[in-house]
Amino acid sequence: MDDALVLTRATAARTTVPRMGAGAVFGRAGMYPMRPMLEHAIWPRSVAPSFERDVLTGLSQVQKTIPSTWLYDHRGSELFEQITGLESYYPTRNEVQVLRASAREIAQAAGPRAIVIELGSGSSRKTRLLLDAFDTPQAYLPVDISEQFLHESVAELPSLYAGLRVIPIVADFTRIESLPELTFLHAAGADRGRRVVFFPGSTIGNFTPEAAVALLRRIRRWAGPDALLIVGADSTQDPAVLIPAYDDHEGITAEFNLNLLSRINRELMADFNLDAFRHEARFDAQRRRVEMHLVSRCAQRVNVLRHRFDFHAGESIHTENSYKHSLQRFQQLAARAGWVHAQRWIDGQARFAVHVLEPIGARDKPWMPA
Ligand code: AVI
């Protein structure tokens, strides 16, 4: 365990999981080749059309807004990776330390032959802490909106974990209603490992509380009654820590935010002048959230796909919310979505928590494939 961290375990993990006998319905010995595998999602999902809609609608609002999902093109994903390594961006560091210290106990809750689904997988680096600790995980399904970055990130995994099926899914995970890949896996002979949904990085904080509840509810539906949901959530409230984390001296977060305008220029035939906007991070203490804005330095007109948008000096495009839920608020939020805590881990600075959740009432139900 890292010296800087004192980990607190909130509640006891479930140790036994009611399951039907392995292979009773789907299993066929020898169906799984044991060589390293990297598979492709069998149901590709298109994400492109809504970029245009989101940008045009968002720029037409009184407070101009673009959903933060669109920050993650290939360059945006690279810049976010750089952010995670910054001294001032504590969430990644703290979460990794918590995961390192708790992985073994989380692995016990997950059980053998887990099917790990990661939402917003990015570099997939944190997942390896879990895969290393888990007892022969059988499949890893990373879901990310950035196709090229996703494939680059998972390319070496099959050679590192023999027998692990790696199925990258290019999708906006907020729109997922079902994962046919899971049905496919079972039909192709997967054992009845637990479905472990890994949602790290405090990405849950990028949703309003209402949207977060809706998302967690949806995950509960497609993940099934036997699922284990592992969520990383930042609960820091101190602006002296938060502002440097979202407006670093190196200017990487500024570049990350401004890259959205480059993307709009490139993909939507727009003419944003990047020098005419600046990055700003604000902390709204009442709403407990950090906001990212792109602030217009002057009065100007911008064209996007032949639509005109006027900005006055100081007017901003709101590009991201990062909610910092307290432990109690997160627990309430999860409960509203039908999840109950099995474990909770926090770092010694009480900044970052890893919540391990189960569907409410799951203990009483036998496992059934969705
Ligand atoms: C991905 N997400 C959880 C990050 C955050 O902290 O809200 C994105 C980010 N934005 C600026 N820095 C990092």
Side-chain angles (χ1 to χ4, degrees):
M1 188 168 89
D2 195 285
D3 287 346
L5 293 173
V6 180
L7 290 159
T8 313
R9 168 97 183 258
T11 45
R14 173 170 69 168
T15 47
T16 50
V17 181
R19 279 198 186 84
M20 292 156 76
V25 179
F26 303 110
R28 227 183 329 129
M31 209 163 165
Y32 262 11
M34 290 306 286
R35 65 185 163 74
M37 282 175 285
L38 177 61
E39 303 178 24
H40 290 278
I42 34 183
W43 285 269
R45 297 158 175 91
S46 167
V47 292
S50 49
F51 183 42
E52 174 183 333
R53 191 190 57 220
D54 284 355
V55 170
L56 294 179
T57 312
L59 293 180
S60 306
Q61 291 169 15
V62 176
Q63 168 59 70
K64 294 177 168 64
T65 306
I66 296 175
S68 58
T69 343
W70 301 111
L71 292 163
Y72 300 91
D73 62 353
H74 189 263
R75 180 67 187 141
S77 300
E78 280 178 350
L79 286 164
F80 178 63
E81 264 313 292
Q82 286 185 41
I83 290 172
T84 61
L86 291 172
E87 182 60 34
S88 58
Y89 191 75
Y90 61 89
T92 307
R93 203 170 43 250
N94 287 30
E95 183 177 39
V96 165
Q97 288 169 337
V98 174
L99 283 171
R100 269 206 187 107
S102 58
R104 210 177 315 154
E105 288 211 43
I106 294 175
Q108 273 171 19
R113 310 288 291 147
I115 294 172
V116 182
I117 303 140
E118 182 172 4
L119 306 179
S121 52
S123 70
S124 290
R125 256 192 283 122
K126 289 173 204 160
T127 327
R128 289 167 62 168
L129 296 171
L130 294 185
L131 292 176
D132 287 344
F134 279 18
D135 177 0
T136 52
Q138 59 180 315
Y140 172 52
L141 288 72
V143 183
D144 205 281
I145 199 164
S146 178
E147 180 168 9
Q148 195 192 340
F149 195 79
L150 173 65
H151 287 289
E152 286 167 11
S153 301
V154 299
E156 64 167 1
L157 287 183
S159 61
L160 295 175
Y161 300 92
L164 182 77
R165 304 187 75 152
V166 180
I167 307 179
I169 299 173
V170 181
D172 174 352
F173 63 78
T174 65
R175 293 170 202 237
I176 288 176
E177 293 293 342
S178 66
L179 272 186
E181 288 82 0
L182 290 173
T183 315
F184 163 76
L185 266 174
H186 290 299
D191 311 342
R192 297 229 167 80
R194 199 167 190 187
R195 293 171 178 186
V196 177
V197 182
F198 186 39
F199 191 25
S202 202
T203 305
I204 191 71
N206 296 135
F207 298 86
T208 62
E210 294 68 35
V213 170
L215 174 62
L216 295 177
R217 256 190 210 135
R218 207 171 310 132
I219 295 171
R220 188 169 50 83
R221 274 199 299 272
W222 60 249
D226 188 48
L228 197 68
L229 173 61
I230 303 166
V231 185
D234 185 14
S235 53
T236 310
Q237 299 295 322
D238 182 356
V241 175
L242 289 167
I243 296 301
Y246 288 83
D247 192 2
D248 56 282
H249 290 309
E250 294 89 338
I252 309 293
T253 311
E255 201 181 331
F256 171 64
N257 200 4
L258 284 159
N259 176 62
L260 179 61
L261 302 184
S262 305
R263 181 179 190 179
I264 299 172
N265 283 350
R266 194 176 59 248
E267 295 183 25
L268 300 179
M269 292 189 304
D271 57 2
F272 277 102
N273 172 6
L274 269 61
D275 293 333
F277 287 85
R278 64 176 174 80
H279 163 71
E280 192 173 293
R282 306 172 185 166
F283 181 56
D284 183 333
Q286 227 178 357
R287 290 182 165 128
R288 294 166 180 258
R289 72 185 194 197
V290 178
E291 297 180 357
M292 287 208 315
H293 290 259
L294 289 165
V295 183
S296 177
R297 294 181 189 273
C298 56
Q300 57 179 316
R301 173 168 287 182
V302 177
N303 299 289
V304 183
L305 284 171
R306 297 201 196 132
H307 295 261
R308 281 186 235 146
F309 298 99
D310 290 319
F311 290 80
H312 55 76
E315 185 176 0
S316 75
I317 310 173
H318 184 177
T319 53
E320 186 185 68
N321 287 319
S322 210
Y323 282 85
K324 308 297 173 186
H325 304 293
S326 67
L327 297 178
Q328 202 193 358
R329 278 169 75 102
F330 182 82
Q331 189 165 340
Q332 289 165 353
L333 208 117
R336 279 171 61 203
W339 294 94
V340 65
H341 275 81
Q343 304 172 1
R344 184 178 62 210
W345 305 86
I346 55 175
D347 64 50
Q349 295 168 306
R351 283 186 185 166
F352 204 99
V354 172
H355 304 264
V356 181
L357 306 156
E358 297 173 334
I360 290 171
R363 279 163 209 243
D364 318 320
K365 292 191 187 126
W367 188 92
M368 291 295 284

PDB file of all heavy atoms in Angstrom, residues 71-72 80 83 89 91 201-206 245-246 253 256 292 320-322 324, ligand 1:
ATOM      1  N   LEU A  71     -14.956  16.211 -26.691  1.00  0.00           N
ATOM      2  CA  LEU A  71     -13.552  16.579 -26.450  1.00  0.00           C
ATOM      3  C   LEU A  71     -12.606  15.451 -26.879  1.00  0.00           C
ATOM      4  O   LEU A  71     -11.413  15.670 -27.070  1.00  0.00           O
ATOM      5  CB  LEU A  71     -13.322  16.860 -24.956  1.00  0.00           C
ATOM      6  CG  LEU A  71     -13.993  18.108 -24.361  1.00  0.00           C
ATOM      7  CD1 LEU A  71     -14.035  18.026 -22.837  1.00  0.00           C
ATOM      8  CD2 LEU A  71     -13.246  19.372 -24.798  1.00  0.00           C
ATOM      9  N   TYR A  72     -13.168  14.236 -27.022  1.00  0.00           N
ATOM     10  CA  TYR A  72     -12.307  13.059 -27.185  1.00  0.00           C
ATOM     11  C   TYR A  72     -12.204  12.557 -28.619  1.00  0.00           C
ATOM     12  O   TYR A  72     -12.625  11.449 -28.919  1.00  0.00           O
ATOM     13  CB  TYR A  72     -12.759  11.940 -26.236  1.00  0.00           C
ATOM     14  CG  TYR A  72     -12.694  12.389 -24.804  1.00  0.00           C
ATOM     15  CD1 TYR A  72     -13.809  12.977 -24.198  1.00  0.00           C
ATOM     16  CD2 TYR A  72     -11.519  12.302 -24.075  1.00  0.00           C
ATOM     17  CE1 TYR A  72     -13.757  13.450 -22.899  1.00  0.00           C
ATOM     18  CE2 TYR A  72     -11.454  12.764 -22.780  1.00  0.00           C
ATOM     19  CZ  TYR A  72     -12.572  13.341 -22.192  1.00  0.00           C
ATOM     20  OH  TYR A  72     -12.496  13.801 -20.917  1.00  0.00           O
ATOM     21  N   PHE A  80      -5.786  14.203 -23.098  1.00  0.00           N
ATOM     22  CA  PHE A  80      -6.310  13.783 -21.800  1.00  0.00           C
ATOM     23  C   PHE A  80      -5.316  12.841 -21.122  1.00  0.00           C
ATOM     24  O   PHE A  80      -5.096  12.926 -19.902  1.00  0.00           O
ATOM     25  CB  PHE A  80      -7.701  13.143 -21.920  1.00  0.00           C
ATOM     26  CG  PHE A  80      -8.194  12.669 -20.583  1.00  0.00           C
ATOM     27  CD1 PHE A  80      -8.427  13.576 -19.559  1.00  0.00           C
ATOM     28  CD2 PHE A  80      -8.351  11.315 -20.325  1.00  0.00           C
ATOM     29  CE1 PHE A  80      -8.823  13.149 -18.295  1.00  0.00           C
ATOM     30  CE2 PHE A  80      -8.752  10.891 -19.070  1.00  0.00           C
ATOM     31  CZ  PHE A  80      -8.989  11.796 -18.055  1.00  0.00           C
ATOM     32  N   ILE A  83      -2.842  14.894 -19.506  1.00  0.00           N
ATOM     33  CA  ILE A  83      -3.394  15.519 -18.287  1.00  0.00           C
ATOM     34  C   ILE A  83      -3.273  14.554 -17.103  1.00  0.00           C
ATOM     35  O   ILE A  83      -2.897  14.943 -15.999  1.00  0.00           O
ATOM     36  CB  ILE A  83      -4.878  15.913 -18.511  1.00  0.00           C
ATOM     37  CG1 ILE A  83      -4.976  17.087 -19.485  1.00  0.00           C
ATOM     38  CG2 ILE A  83      -5.573  16.256 -17.187  1.00  0.00           C
ATOM     39  CD1 ILE A  83      -6.391  17.428 -19.933  1.00  0.00           C
ATOM     40  N   TYR A  89      -2.919  17.342 -11.614  1.00  0.00           N
ATOM     41  CA  TYR A  89      -4.145  16.566 -11.829  1.00  0.00           C
ATOM     42  C   TYR A  89      -4.103  15.319 -10.932  1.00  0.00           C
ATOM     43  O   TYR A  89      -3.675  14.239 -11.332  1.00  0.00           O
ATOM     44  CB  TYR A  89      -4.306  16.178 -13.302  1.00  0.00           C
ATOM     45  CG  TYR A  89      -5.684  15.620 -13.612  1.00  0.00           C
ATOM     46  CD1 TYR A  89      -6.798  16.451 -13.693  1.00  0.00           C
ATOM     47  CD2 TYR A  89      -5.871  14.250 -13.799  1.00  0.00           C
ATOM     48  CE1 TYR A  89      -8.061  15.936 -13.956  1.00  0.00           C
ATOM     49  CE2 TYR A  89      -7.131  13.732 -14.070  1.00  0.00           C
ATOM     50  CZ  TYR A  89      -8.214  14.586 -14.145  1.00  0.00           C
ATOM     51  OH  TYR A  89      -9.468  14.064 -14.409  1.00  0.00           O
ATOM     52  N   PRO A  91      -6.575  13.407  -9.585  1.00  0.00           N
ATOM     53  CA  PRO A  91      -7.526  12.291  -9.582  1.00  0.00           C
ATOM     54  C   PRO A  91      -6.942  10.966 -10.068  1.00  0.00           C
ATOM     55  O   PRO A  91      -7.165   9.926  -9.439  1.00  0.00           O
ATOM     56  CB  PRO A  91      -8.658  12.774 -10.506  1.00  0.00           C
ATOM     57  CG  PRO A  91      -8.616  14.261 -10.416  1.00  0.00           C
ATOM     58  CD  PRO A  91      -7.148  14.579 -10.303  1.00  0.00           C
ATOM     59  N   GLY A 201     -12.038   6.888 -13.205  1.00  0.00           N
ATOM     60  CA  GLY A 201     -11.608   8.211 -13.665  1.00  0.00           C
ATOM     61  C   GLY A 201     -12.516   9.348 -13.272  1.00  0.00           C
ATOM     62  O   GLY A 201     -12.336  10.468 -13.729  1.00  0.00           O
ATOM     63  N   SER A 202     -13.552   9.064 -12.487  1.00  0.00           N
ATOM     64  CA  SER A 202     -14.527  10.100 -12.124  1.00  0.00           C
ATOM     65  C   SER A 202     -15.276  10.620 -13.350  1.00  0.00           C
ATOM     66  O   SER A 202     -15.761  11.751 -13.346  1.00  0.00           O
ATOM     67  CB  SER A 202     -13.851  11.262 -11.374  1.00  0.00           C
ATOM     68  OG  SER A 202     -14.822  11.958 -10.609  1.00  0.00           O
ATOM     69  N   THR A 203     -15.378   9.802 -14.373  1.00  0.00           N
ATOM     70  CA  THR A 203     -16.158  10.196 -15.543  1.00  0.00           C
ATOM     71  C   THR A 203     -17.622  10.380 -15.171  1.00  0.00           C
ATOM     72  O   THR A 203     -18.331  11.189 -15.781  1.00  0.00           O
ATOM     73  CB  THR A 203     -15.998   9.138 -16.662  1.00  0.00           C
ATOM     74  OG1 THR A 203     -14.602   8.979 -16.913  1.00  0.00           O
ATOM     75  CG2 THR A 203     -16.687   9.557 -17.943  1.00  0.00           C
ATOM     76  N   ILE A 204     -18.072   9.677 -14.145  1.00  0.00           N
ATOM     77  CA  ILE A 204     -19.459   9.858 -13.683  1.00  0.00           C
ATOM     78  C   ILE A 204     -19.704  11.329 -13.313  1.00  0.00           C
ATOM     79  O   ILE A 204     -20.815  11.843 -13.456  1.00  0.00           O
ATOM     80  CB  ILE A 204     -19.773   8.922 -12.472  1.00  0.00           C
ATOM     81  CG1 ILE A 204     -21.268   8.894 -12.156  1.00  0.00           C
ATOM     82  CG2 ILE A 204     -18.977   9.281 -11.219  1.00  0.00           C
ATOM     83  CD1 ILE A 204     -22.122   8.178 -13.148  1.00  0.00           C
ATOM     84  N   GLY A 205     -18.643  12.020 -12.893  1.00  0.00           N
ATOM     85  CA  GLY A 205     -18.751  13.433 -12.533  1.00  0.00           C
ATOM     86  C   GLY A 205     -18.994  14.334 -13.734  1.00  0.00           C
ATOM     87  O   GLY A 205     -19.349  15.504 -13.578  1.00  0.00           O
ATOM     88  N   ASN A 206     -18.796  13.817 -14.943  1.00  0.00           N
ATOM     89  CA  ASN A 206     -19.031  14.634 -16.129  1.00  0.00           C
ATOM     90  C   ASN A 206     -20.508  14.677 -16.523  1.00  0.00           C
ATOM     91  O   ASN A 206     -20.872  15.270 -17.540  1.00  0.00           O
ATOM     92  CB  ASN A 206     -18.170  14.154 -17.304  1.00  0.00           C
ATOM     93  CG  ASN A 206     -16.677  14.315 -17.056  1.00  0.00           C
ATOM     94  OD1 ASN A 206     -15.894  13.418 -17.321  1.00  0.00           O
ATOM     95  ND2 ASN A 206     -16.257  15.460 -16.514  1.00  0.00           N
ATOM     96  N   ALA A 245      -5.866  21.818 -10.975  1.00  0.00           N
ATOM     97  CA  ALA A 245      -6.053  20.513 -11.620  1.00  0.00           C
ATOM     98  C   ALA A 245      -6.713  20.673 -12.989  1.00  0.00           C
ATOM     99  O   ALA A 245      -6.481  19.875 -13.897  1.00  0.00           O
ATOM    100  CB  ALA A 245      -6.898  19.598 -10.731  1.00  0.00           C
ATOM    101  N   TYR A 246      -7.539  21.723 -13.129  1.00  0.00           N
ATOM    102  CA  TYR A 246      -8.284  21.923 -14.385  1.00  0.00           C
ATOM    103  C   TYR A 246      -7.765  23.114 -15.193  1.00  0.00           C
ATOM    104  O   TYR A 246      -8.348  23.470 -16.207  1.00  0.00           O
ATOM    105  CB  TYR A 246      -9.790  22.041 -14.079  1.00  0.00           C
ATOM    106  CG  TYR A 246     -10.369  20.696 -13.689  1.00  0.00           C
ATOM    107  CD1 TYR A 246     -10.257  20.234 -12.378  1.00  0.00           C
ATOM    108  CD2 TYR A 246     -10.950  19.870 -14.637  1.00  0.00           C
ATOM    109  CE1 TYR A 246     -10.735  18.977 -12.030  1.00  0.00           C
ATOM    110  CE2 TYR A 246     -11.430  18.622 -14.306  1.00  0.00           C
ATOM    111  CZ  TYR A 246     -11.319  18.174 -13.002  1.00  0.00           C
ATOM    112  OH  TYR A 246     -11.789  16.929 -12.664  1.00  0.00           O
ATOM    113  N   THR A 253      -4.389  21.351 -20.265  1.00  0.00           N
ATOM    114  CA  THR A 253      -5.860  21.330 -20.210  1.00  0.00           C
ATOM    115  C   THR A 253      -6.434  22.394 -21.142  1.00  0.00           C
ATOM    116  O   THR A 253      -7.463  22.176 -21.786  1.00  0.00           O
ATOM    117  CB  THR A 253      -6.357  21.525 -18.758  1.00  0.00           C
ATOM    118  OG1 THR A 253      -5.645  20.631 -17.900  1.00  0.00           O
ATOM    119  CG2 THR A 253      -7.843  21.253 -18.645  1.00  0.00           C
ATOM    120  N   PHE A 256      -6.307  20.909 -24.495  1.00  0.00           N
ATOM    121  CA  PHE A 256      -7.353  19.872 -24.551  1.00  0.00           C
ATOM    122  C   PHE A 256      -8.710  20.518 -24.847  1.00  0.00           C
ATOM    123  O   PHE A 256      -9.458  20.062 -25.721  1.00  0.00           O
ATOM    124  CB  PHE A 256      -7.354  19.163 -23.193  1.00  0.00           C
ATOM    125  CG  PHE A 256      -8.483  18.208 -22.928  1.00  0.00           C
ATOM    126  CD1 PHE A 256      -8.646  17.058 -23.690  1.00  0.00           C
ATOM    127  CD2 PHE A 256      -9.365  18.449 -21.871  1.00  0.00           C
ATOM    128  CE1 PHE A 256      -9.680  16.167 -23.412  1.00  0.00           C
ATOM    129  CE2 PHE A 256     -10.392  17.560 -21.587  1.00  0.00           C
ATOM    130  CZ  PHE A 256     -10.546  16.420 -22.365  1.00  0.00           C
ATOM    131  N   MET A 292     -15.572  23.791 -17.297  1.00  0.00           N
ATOM    132  CA  MET A 292     -14.594  24.270 -18.277  1.00  0.00           C
ATOM    133  C   MET A 292     -15.342  25.118 -19.291  1.00  0.00           C
ATOM    134  O   MET A 292     -16.438  24.756 -19.742  1.00  0.00           O
ATOM    135  CB  MET A 292     -13.922  23.120 -19.039  1.00  0.00           C
ATOM    136  CG  MET A 292     -12.930  22.342 -18.219  1.00  0.00           C
ATOM    137  SD  MET A 292     -11.598  21.563 -19.208  1.00  0.00           S
ATOM    138  CE  MET A 292     -12.437  20.849 -20.592  1.00  0.00           C
ATOM    139  N   GLU A 320     -17.543  21.541 -20.350  1.00  0.00           N
ATOM    140  CA  GLU A 320     -17.492  20.374 -19.451  1.00  0.00           C
ATOM    141  C   GLU A 320     -17.930  20.734 -18.049  1.00  0.00           C
ATOM    142  O   GLU A 320     -17.635  21.819 -17.556  1.00  0.00           O
ATOM    143  CB  GLU A 320     -16.062  19.811 -19.390  1.00  0.00           C
ATOM    144  CG  GLU A 320     -15.957  18.511 -18.604  1.00  0.00           C
ATOM    145  CD  GLU A 320     -14.516  18.036 -18.460  1.00  0.00           C
ATOM    146  OE1 GLU A 320     -13.734  18.706 -17.761  1.00  0.00           O
ATOM    147  OE2 GLU A 320     -14.179  17.006 -19.057  1.00  0.00           O
ATOM    148  N   ASN A 321     -18.629  19.798 -17.420  1.00  0.00           N
ATOM    149  CA  ASN A 321     -18.873  19.830 -15.977  1.00  0.00           C
ATOM    150  C   ASN A 321     -18.131  18.668 -15.348  1.00  0.00           C
ATOM    151  O   ASN A 321     -18.102  17.574 -15.920  1.00  0.00           O
ATOM    152  CB  ASN A 321     -20.359  19.626 -15.659  1.00  0.00           C
ATOM    153  CG  ASN A 321     -21.175  20.849 -16.013  1.00  0.00           C
ATOM    154  OD1 ASN A 321     -20.750  21.979 -15.767  1.00  0.00           O
ATOM    155  ND2 ASN A 321     -22.337  20.627 -16.584  1.00  0.00           N
ATOM    156  N   SER A 322     -17.573  18.903 -14.193  1.00  0.00           N
ATOM    157  CA  SER A 322     -16.937  17.812 -13.461  1.00  0.00           C
ATOM    158  C   SER A 322     -17.456  17.890 -12.026  1.00  0.00           C
ATOM    159  O   SER A 322     -16.935  18.651 -11.207  1.00  0.00           O
ATOM    160  CB  SER A 322     -15.422  17.998 -13.523  1.00  0.00           C
ATOM    161  OG  SER A 322     -14.764  16.783 -13.482  1.00  0.00           O
ATOM    162  N   LYS A 324     -18.236  17.021  -8.231  1.00  0.00           N
ATOM    163  CA  LYS A 324     -17.440  16.438  -7.152  1.00  0.00           C
ATOM    164  C   LYS A 324     -18.392  16.019  -6.030  1.00  0.00           C
ATOM    165  O   LYS A 324     -18.645  16.782  -5.094  1.00  0.00           O
ATOM    166  CB  LYS A 324     -16.405  17.454  -6.650  1.00  0.00           C
ATOM    167  CG  LYS A 324     -15.538  18.059  -7.770  1.00  0.00           C
ATOM    168  CD  LYS A 324     -14.707  17.007  -8.460  1.00  0.00           C
ATOM    169  CE  LYS A 324     -13.961  17.528  -9.664  1.00  0.00           C
ATOM    170  NZ  LYS A 324     -13.264  16.479 -10.425  1.00  0.00           N
TER     171      LYS A 324
HETATM  172  C1  AVI B   1     -12.631  12.386 -18.019  1.00  0.00           C
HETATM  173  N1  AVI B   1     -12.966  13.288 -16.918  1.00  0.00           N
HETATM  174  C2  AVI B   1     -13.308  12.527 -15.741  1.00  0.00           C
HETATM  175  C3  AVI B   1     -11.982  14.332 -16.675  1.00  0.00           C
HETATM  176  C4  AVI B   1     -12.427  15.204 -15.464  1.00  0.00           C
HETATM  177  O1  AVI B   1     -11.623  15.343 -14.545  1.00  0.00           O
HETATM  178  O2  AVI B   1     -13.573  15.651 -15.444  1.00  0.00           O
HETATM  179  C5  AVI B   1     -11.805  15.212 -17.885  1.00  0.00           C
HETATM  180  C6  AVI B   1     -10.916  16.401 -17.662  1.00  0.00           C
HETATM  181  N2  AVI B   1     -11.208  17.615 -17.979  1.00  0.00           N
HETATM  182  C7  AVI B   1     -10.232  18.422 -17.671  1.00  0.00           C
HETATM  183  N3  AVI B   1      -9.296  17.723 -17.113  1.00  0.00           N
HETATM  184  C8  AVI B   1      -9.690  16.445 -17.099  1.00  0.00           C
END
